[in-house]
Amino acid sequence: LKNQYFEQQYSGAGTAGIFRGAWHYAFPSQSDGKTQAEFFLANGGAWNADGKTLPGVLYVDHTLDDPNLCFGVEPANLVAWIREFSDTYHSKTNRYPVICTSIQFWNWCVKDDPSFGATNPLWLSKYFPEVEQGAIPPGWTNYTFWDNITSFWHNGDLDSLTKLAAGQ
């Protein structure tokens, strides 16, 4: 599934000088990580070193329409799926995708696997007020992006965002 307005929005952001990027909703119960990463790369998720394009985002979190909460996938299999997606993306772009998740999902479904913190930037979603401010999944020491229902932040200045887009 691809946003029908993606090309217009992506090129419009670039023309306006705005940072741009794409994200992929993970569906681990539908196909393997490699297949989904290749689809993402072929449909707008590729990164290039133009200084405006952010690395692709893998959105791996629960959704309201996910009755199985963890996609019906066991934690070890979900970790392997995320690793396969991430490694496939990296093999084609020389960048690791940003992982967008919540602390709840990571704790429940990935079982605190710390291995992605060394390679993948973190986009932390905080939708539940009972989550301790500043809590992040194991393996990461900080987040790159943070959002909640009403707000979005980059954890840094314009220079650090430019470096992220440039692959530095």
Side-chain angles (χ1 to χ4, degrees):
L1 181 63
K2 183 177 174 181
N3 174 356
Q4 64 180 342
Y5 303 107
F6 177 80
E7 296 300 331
Q8 175 187 354
Q9 293 167 343
Y10 186 84
S11 63
T15 300
I18 298 171
F19 290 99
R20 60 191 180 178
W23 62 346
H24 177 80
Y25 283 92
F27 291 104
S29 59
Q30 294 183 7
S31 62
D32 62 50
K34 181 177 189 261
T35 299
Q36 288 190 36
E38 288 173 345
F39 176 85
F40 180 49
L41 288 160
N43 288 279
W47 173 81
N48 62 67
D50 62 5
K52 293 181 185 178
T53 305
L54 296 168
V57 176
L58 173 61
Y59 184 86
V60 58
D61 202 347
H62 63 276
T63 62
L64 295 177
D65 59 347
D66 178 14
N68 298 314
L69 187 63
C70 301
F71 307 103
V73 178
E74 292 296 318
N77 294 335
L78 187 54
V79 168
W81 189 97
I82 296 168
R83 176 63 55 212
E84 184 178 40
F85 184 101
S86 182
D87 289 349
T88 301
Y89 189 89
H90 180 261
S91 74
K92 306 291 184 187
T93 65
N94 204 31
R95 299 294 308 274
Y96 284 97
V98 174
I99 293 178
C100 181
T101 193
S102 66
I103 190 91
Q104 298 89 348
F105 181 87
W106 207 258
N107 288 345
W108 296 331
C109 302
V110 182
K111 298 294 184 202
D112 299 326
D113 184 283
S115 65
F116 297 96
T119 54
N120 300 72
L122 174 64
W123 179 331
L124 187 61
S125 292
K126 180 182 179 270
Y127 299 113
F128 302 102
E130 66 273 11
V131 174
E132 177 184 338
Q133 182 67 30
I136 60 173
W140 283 282
T141 57
N142 215 333
Y143 60 86
T144 303
F145 301 106
W146 187 90
D147 77 289
N148 63 20
I149 293 172
T150 61
S151 303
F152 171 83
W153 294 271
H154 166 252
N155 189 19
D157 57 13
L158 181 59
D159 187 50
S160 67
L161 190 59
T162 302
K163 287 180 179 177
L164 180 66
Q168 302 172 359

